Amino acid sequence: MINKINALLKEVENLKAANAEELEALRIKYLSKKGEISLLMNDFRNVAADQKREVGQHLNKLKEAAQNRINELKASFENVQTTNDDIDLTRTAYPIELGTRHPLSLVKKEICDIFGRLGFSIAEGPEIEDDWHVFSSLNFAEDHPARDMQDTFFIQHNPDVLLRTHTSSVQTRVMENQKPPIRIICPGRVYRNEAISYRAHCFFHQVEALYVDKNVSFADLKQALLFFAKEMFSADTKIRLRPSYFPFTEPSAEMDISCNICGGKGCPFCKGTGWVEILGCGMVDPNVLENCGIDSKVYSGYALGMGIERITNLKYQVKDLRMFSENDVRFLRQFESAN
Ligand SMILES: [Zn+2]
C-alpha cells in the first residue's frame, strides 16, 4: 500500500491543468469522495495494526500534497485572469465621494469671516490651561462663586492644570504679550463637566472677540454686535441687550436677536417671546486689563463670546446637540450644499 501511495504522490506533485475545467476534473479525480485518495483512506481500515502509524503518515502527506498542488494551479489561473483582458472599460467608474465640512466648522468660519471684515484677526491658544489664564487673570477670585458657574475638569489632583472652560483664556494670553490696539477673534473647543444630553455636552465650541484700544466704548460694542447679527442671520435681524453679569466684563450684557424662525412673532423655538439669546458681552473689566499689564486709565476694550453650537442650532435648527459629535454621515451630508 505504501508503494501505491508513493506512486500517487509523484503523480499529484506533477499535476498540470490548462484551464479551470481541467483543474476541476483533477480535483474530482483525486480529492472528491470517490476520488483516488478517498478510496485509499477507505482501505486504511484494512491495514494491519502495526503498520497503521506509518501508512497513516504517508496518506496524510499525500492528501496534503494533492490539496497544495491543486490550490497552486487554481491561484495561477486567478492571477492570469486579473492581468488578462477581462477588464470592462465600459463599466461606470466608481464615484469619488467628496467629504463635507462639519456644520460647526462652517459656522465657525462664517463667524470669523464676519469679524475679519471688521479688522479682527484669529488668535488661538492651548486647550489644557492653568488657573491663571482661565480664572484668576479674568477676575475670578479664589473663592468667587462664579467659578461654580463653570464645572471644570481638573487634571488629576493638581487644581492648577485644567481643561479650559471658555476661550477667554486666549484673550489673556494675547493681552499679556501684545500691546494695544488688539483686535482678535478666538475660536476653539472648551470643556465643562456636564452630563451629556440633547442640550448639554462635556465639550463644545466658542468664539470670542476682543477689542482693546484708546476710547473703545459700549457704543462700539453695540455697533459690532448689530453688524454681526445682520451679516450672520439676515439684514432685518434686530438685537436687544439685557444687563447680565460676568466676572471679566463690567458692565456686562446678554444679546438676544429677533427669532429668525417666526420673525419675532413668537413660536415654540423662541418660547413665544420672539427673541432668542445668542451671546454674552461687555466692557473688559479694568482689573483684567491691569492683570495683563495694560494701563486701564489709557485703554478700554470690549469682549464678546458665543457658543458655536448655539449659533449653528439657530441657523440650521439642529435640535440635538449630540448630533455634532456622533459623526453620522447621514447628518453630515445634509450640509453638502452649504460648503
Ligand atoms: Zn420664534
Side-chain angles (χ1 to χ4, degrees):
M1 184 157 174
I2 290 190
N3 288 341
K4 202 174 172 191
I5 293 172
N6 282 338
L8 263 179
L9 184 62
K10 280 220 172 70
E11 214 176 301
V12 298
E13 279 174 347
N14 295 304
L15 286 181
K16 284 188 178 60
N19 53 44
E21 286 86 59
E22 280 185 37
L23 181 65
E24 178 60 9
L26 290 175
R27 191 191 66 78
I28 293 169
K29 184 177 174 201
Y30 293 99
L31 291 172
S32 68
K33 264 191 185 153
K34 289 184 175 167
E36 303 210 19
I37 295 174
S38 302
L39 292 178
L40 279 177
M41 293 278 191
N42 290 341
D43 287 346
F44 182 68
R45 72 173 81 99
N46 302 323
V47 173
D50 60 341
Q51 289 176 26
K52 268 201 152 87
R53 189 180 148 88
E54 197 189 350
V55 174
Q57 282 173 350
H58 278 81
L59 256 181
N60 281 337
K61 199 175 155 195
L62 171 65
K63 196 176 175 188
E64 209 182 300
Q67 191 67 60
N68 286 346
R69 181 62 190 153
I70 282 172
N71 285 347
E72 232 173 81
L73 289 168
K74 198 174 162 198
S76 71
F77 288 137
E78 280 165 359
N79 286 341
V80 169
Q81 276 190 353
T82 52
T83 54
N84 221 338
D85 52 6
D86 275 359
I87 301 166
D88 182 359
L89 295 174
T90 60
R91 195 171 154 173
T92 319
Y94 290 110
I96 298 170
E97 291 202 34
L98 292 178
T100 63
R101 267 184 215 258
H102 192 279
L104 294 178
S105 299
L106 286 170
V107 170
K108 179 181 86 175
K109 184 178 179 299
E110 204 177 339
I111 297 169
C112 290
D113 285 351
I114 292 169
F115 281 94
R117 296 202 282 280
L118 289 173
F120 286 76
S121 53
I122 292 175
E124 282 174 329
E127 292 179 14
I128 301 172
E129 266 291 7
D130 51 36
D131 178 274
W132 169 256
H133 289 97
V134 175
F135 293 123
S136 299
S137 66
L138 293 163
N139 217 23
F140 287 82
E142 196 71 22
D143 54 353
H144 199 292
R147 289 194 188 212
D148 295 338
M149 284 161 64
Q150 305 179 353
D151 291 318
T152 311
F153 284 117
F154 292 97
I155 308 290
Q156 286 285 328
H157 303 296
N158 184 352
D160 193 41
V161 184
L162 48 98
L163 294 175
R164 66 181 180 194
T165 55
H166 51 187
T167 43
S168 310
S169 51
V170 183
Q171 301 184 14
T172 304
R173 287 184 177 274
V174 171
M175 285 191 285
E176 279 174 340
N177 295 304
Q178 222 172 291
K179 290 270 155 278
I182 293 168
R183 214 193 293 246
I184 52 162
I185 180 127
C186 323
R189 180 176 289 181
V190 300
Y191 302 83
R192 290 186 199 180
N193 187 9
E194 294 201 26
I196 295 169
S197 72
Y198 75 97
R199 53 192 295 272
H201 212 295
C202 58
F203 67 82
F204 53 98
H205 301 78
Q206 285 188 335
V207 175
E208 297 203 6
L210 172 74
Y211 177 34
V212 181
D213 203 349
K214 287 173 182 162
N215 302 318
V216 177
S217 71
F218 203 93
D220 295 324
L221 168 61
K222 194 174 175 189
Q223 197 57 40
L225 290 171
L226 185 63
F227 177 79
F228 167 72
K230 286 179 182 292
E231 292 285 301
M232 191 74 205
F233 298 100
S234 67
D236 51 7
T237 302
K238 293 181 190 65
I239 65 167
R240 75 174 183 189
L241 293 165
R242 286 177 292 106
S244 184
Y245 170 77
F246 304 107
F248 36 90
T249 46
E250 180 61 37
S252 306
E254 275 174 74
M255 182 175 99
D256 299 339
I257 59 165
S258 49
C259 176
N260 63 334
I261 292 168
C262 61
K265 288 188 197 77
C267 69
F269 188 81
C270 55
K271 298 190 185 80
T273 62
W275 295 95
V276 279
E277 182 193 327
I278 68 162
L279 58 78
C281 58
M283 300 305 292
V284 181
D285 193 298
N287 285 342
V288 174
L289 293 175
E290 296 291 339
N291 282 342
C292 299
I294 293 173
D295 188 345
S296 62
K297 291 184 192 70
V298 181
Y299 296 103
S300 56
Y302 67 69
L304 60 100
M306 67 193 97
I308 301 180
E309 279 83 351
R310 174 101 186 124
I311 307 289
T312 311
N313 279 348
L314 222 63
K315 238 180 132 67
Y316 296 112
Q317 278 98 59
V318 180
K319 297 217 167 65
D320 189 334
L321 208 57
R322 292 169 294 195
M323 301 289 282
F324 291 127
S325 50
E326 280 173 353
N327 285 335
D328 186 333
V329 289
R330 292 169 301 180
F331 169 69
L332 298 174
R333 286 219 177 96
Q334 294 176 41
F335 298 89
E336 266 169 1
S337 61
N339 274 264

